[in-house]
Amino acid sequence: MHPPSTAEAAAWAEVLVRHQLLYAAVLTPAGQWLVQHHAESLVHVLHSPRAMVDLAAEIQHRIRTTRNHTR
């Protein structure tokens, strides 16, 4: 399996922000992602596209787990 590309990570970041699952996700010129979960929360640095894709998977897992528990 190939490592995620910057374009793939950017697509996930856009979806997460659009669906208000993240407040902000910004790619820096150095290839890192600055991520903020809520407007008032600290900014976290993700060091690679893989880290962004992993964060998206973590958020999806959390949503699915929450949905299964509320059914």
Side-chain angles (χ1 to χ4, degrees), residues 17-68:
V17 171
R18 184 179 335 129
H19 290 280
Q20 299 178 348
L21 299 168
L22 285 178
Y23 178 73
V26 178
L27 178 62
T28 70
Q32 298 173 319
W33 289 90
L34 304 178
V35 176
Q36 197 172 15
H37 290 275
H38 307 284
E40 305 297 321
S41 66
L42 296 174
V43 174
H44 296 276
V45 179
L46 304 180
H47 295 284
S48 66
R50 161 68 62 203
M52 175 56 77
V53 172
D54 288 348
L55 176 61
E58 179 184 313
I59 290 170
Q60 286 181 316
H61 177 74
R62 190 171 49 226
I63 290 169
R64 288 184 184 129
T65 302
T66 302
R67 283 184 185 161
N68 289 340

